[in-house]
């Protein structure tokens, strides 16, 4: 059975809360009052149970009784951007409604692993108000990431009237209708206009960044010697690239810059940085440059990286790190 569910706006890939920017301004809305929504961890693939399931929360499935318990749905996800565009995010295939007992059991596991405390810190990180950290508000759906198809980059824009905007679990009754440009191409969300604005002089340390950094370093140990990692504590003019290592095979230095967004956004944010780290003002500190992100690149992202190498002769690649598999995928 195919369903449609709305998620609150998020600029961190629904791996953790992204703050109040873009959230509903309605006085009685939970996300406005608390500064976050519990569905903002829905795609956090760093928290997987031994059986391969990830547990999350969908507001449209939060109803009294056990209506969705044990039910299996293909759930299509959309959100509404600050520009009031309805954006299609993809779908969770074979998503299962979670019982209250199972939710309690998973909550206990999260507590033992320290993940509940980590999620509380995620809320404080975006200056939200910690509330409703109970099983009923944390877990009501589970799915496997290998069964999910998510548009991490180049997210298509739905025709506004084609999907109801309320937080209801809706039946999907036909094909989605998308906005198109004058050439007949489906319009996609321009994420460049939603970059996070940080108060001048205020340093925010992204907890996911350090997770990816440490995991990638461990995976590089067999191929690289003299691995060096940026500590993240020295925010001065001499801040370094996230990871640098000497390739045992190629006998040369390689730089790795870690980002925590979609491939497209990670490339945009890292490109200037990693070039500067390697070559400013007039040096050659690394022969190869790698941008690392937690979400897979799509065909447009791959084509863009190929173009940068072919047209400008830039020795730069993108690599995807998967938490689910603890794997650093080959360069694209």
């Amino acid at each position: 059975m195919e369903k449609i569910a709305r998620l609150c706006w998020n600029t961190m890939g629904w791996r953790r809360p992204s703050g109040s920017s873009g959230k509903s301004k309605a006085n009685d809305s939970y996300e406005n009052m608390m500064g976050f929504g519990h569905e903002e961890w829905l795609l956090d693939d760093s928290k997987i149970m031994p059986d391969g399931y990830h547990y999350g929360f969908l507001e449209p499935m939060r109803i009294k009784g056990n209506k969705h318990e044990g039910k299996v749905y293909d759930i299509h996800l959309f959100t509404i951007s600050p520009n009031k565009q309805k954006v299609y995010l993809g779908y969770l295939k074979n998503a299962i409604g979670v019982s209250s007992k199972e939710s309690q059991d998973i909550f206990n596991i999260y507590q033992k692993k320290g993940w509940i405390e980590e999620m509380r810190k995620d809320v404080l990180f975006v200056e939200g108000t910690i509330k409703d950290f109970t099983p009923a508000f944390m877990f009501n759906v589970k799915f496997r990431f290998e069964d999910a198809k998510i548009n991490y980059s180049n997210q298509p824009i739905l025709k506004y009237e084609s999907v109801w905007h309320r937080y209801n679990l809706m039946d999907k009754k036909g094909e989605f209708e998308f906005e198109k440009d004058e050439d007949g191409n489906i319009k996609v969300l321009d994420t460049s206009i939603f970059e996070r604005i940080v108060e001048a002089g205020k340093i925010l340390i992204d907890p996911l960044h350090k997770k990816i950094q440490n995991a990638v370093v461990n995976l590089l140990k067999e191929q690289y010697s003299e691995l060096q990692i940026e500590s993240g504590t020295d925010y001065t003019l001499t801040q370094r690239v996230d990871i640098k290592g000497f390739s045992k095979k190629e006998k040369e230095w390689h730089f790795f810059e870690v980002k925590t967004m979609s491939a497209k956004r990670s490339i945009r944010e890292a490109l200037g940085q990693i070039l500067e780290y390697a070559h400013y003002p007039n040096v050659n500190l690394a022969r190869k440059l790698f941008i690392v992100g937690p979400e897979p690149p799509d065909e447009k992202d791959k084509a863009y990286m190929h173009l940068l190498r072919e047209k400008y002769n830039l020795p730069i690649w993108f690599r995807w790190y998967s938490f689910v598999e603890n794997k650093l995928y080959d360069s694209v």
Side-chain angles (χ1 to χ4, degrees):
M1 185 179 297
E2 292 187 83
K3 299 287 186 178
I4 303 173
R6 176 184 170 184
L7 302 181
C8 69
W9 175 251
N10 180 282
T11 59
M12 293 295 177
W14 289 269
R15 293 172 179 274
R16 66 258 190 242
S18 61
S20 59
S21 178
K23 297 291 195 299
S24 170
K25 300 302 180 184
N27 291 332
D28 60 346
S29 73
Y30 188 94
E31 59 193 80
N32 182 45
M33 293 186 293
M34 298 299 112
F36 79 103
H38 286 274
E39 64 262 46
E40 291 190 82
W41 292 274
L42 182 67
L43 302 180
D44 179 7
D45 59 0
S46 69
K47 298 177 177 65
I48 307 294
M49 292 295 103
D51 61 1
Y53 278 102
H54 171 64
Y55 287 74
F57 177 85
L58 284 172
E59 176 62 25
M61 294 183 70
R62 185 175 66 88
I63 61 174
K64 293 182 178 180
N66 58 356
K67 178 178 179 179
H68 300 302
E69 181 181 330
K71 298 291 181 62
V72 181
Y73 304 128
D74 291 344
I75 305 177
H76 296 265
L77 307 171
F78 78 98
T79 189
I80 299 180
S81 80
N83 285 350
K84 305 303 179 184
Q85 298 165 309
K86 292 183 178 178
V87 184
Y88 180 65
L89 305 173
Y91 64 92
L92 310 177
K93 187 175 178 62
N94 297 325
I96 305 174
V98 172
S99 69
S100 57
K101 181 183 183 305
E102 188 174 11
S103 179
Q104 179 67 64
D105 291 341
I106 296 301
F107 187 87
N108 293 340
I109 293 173
Y110 266 54
Q111 280 191 315
K112 290 178 181 178
K113 288 180 173 290
W115 290 348
I116 295 296
E117 181 59 26
E118 182 180 301
M119 294 167 79
R120 290 174 180 269
K121 290 179 179 178
D122 287 343
V123 174
L124 295 177
F125 176 71
V126 296
E127 300 179 345
T129 300
I130 297 174
K131 186 182 178 183
D132 298 321
F133 270 67
T134 62
F137 275 86
M138 302 298 286
F139 312 110
N140 60 15
V141 66
K142 65 178 180 181
F143 65 94
R144 298 177 187 270
F145 273 98
E146 54 264 38
D147 291 336
K149 184 174 179 59
I150 305 297
N151 300 313
Y152 290 108
S153 296
N154 303 301
Q155 296 161 338
I157 299 172
L158 292 156
K159 286 187 176 181
Y160 196 84
E161 300 301 326
S162 68
V163 179
W164 185 239
H165 64 276
R166 297 290 184 183
Y167 285 97
N168 298 328
L169 192 64
M170 299 165 278
D171 293 330
K172 183 175 181 292
K173 297 180 179 179
E175 295 301 317
F176 287 113
E177 299 179 50
F178 297 100
E179 296 282 350
K180 294 186 178 180
D181 60 23
E182 57 187 13
D183 296 321
N185 300 311
I186 294 175
K187 292 181 180 180
V188 297
L189 184 69
D190 180 7
T191 58
S192 64
I193 64 176
F194 303 124
E195 299 299 333
R196 190 172 181 191
I197 299 174
V198 178
E199 181 182 346
K202 184 177 181 180
I203 299 298
L204 297 179
I205 301 175
D206 187 343
L208 181 62
H209 183 279
K210 183 58 65 176
K211 281 186 178 181
I212 298 173
Q213 198 175 21
N214 291 336
V216 169
V217 165
N218 285 331
L219 293 174
L220 293 176
K221 286 180 178 178
E222 291 187 6
Q223 303 170 37
Y224 290 86
S225 61
E226 301 183 58
L227 279 167
Q228 300 174 31
I229 184 169
E230 167 60 41
S231 66
T233 59
D234 181 21
Y235 288 96
T236 67
L237 293 178
T238 59
Q239 186 177 353
R240 301 176 297 276
V241 70
D242 286 320
I243 303 168
K244 61 176 65 173
F246 189 78
S247 172
K248 296 177 182 179
K249 179 180 179 180
E250 299 172 85
K251 308 300 181 185
E252 60 190 26
W253 284 96
H254 294 170
F255 281 7
F256 299 79
E257 183 66 14
V258 174
K259 295 299 177 184
T260 60
M261 294 77 64
S262 67
K264 183 179 179 181
R265 287 189 62 195
S266 294
I267 293 165
R268 180 192 303 142
E269 291 203 3
L271 186 58
Q273 282 182 286
I274 198 167
L275 287 171
E276 179 183 318
Y277 294 150
H279 302 301
Y280 186 85
N282 186 21
V283 292
N284 288 289
L285 301 180
R287 293 292 299 276
K288 289 186 178 181
L289 310 175
F290 299 94
I291 297 168
V292 179
E295 297 172 2
D298 64 15
E299 293 307 313
K300 290 183 179 180
D301 302 323
K302 295 175 183 178
Y304 178 57
M305 295 306 298
H306 181 75
L307 178 66
L308 291 180
R309 292 192 294 272
E310 290 297 309
K311 186 175 180 64
Y312 299 105
N313 200 31
L314 293 175
I316 190 163
W317 290 262
F318 178 83
R319 300 189 70 175
W320 167 42
Y321 171 72
S322 167
F323 276 106
V324 176
E325 301 172 86
N326 187 31
K327 176 179 178 180
L328 184 62
Y329 276 79
D330 292 339
S331 307
V332 296

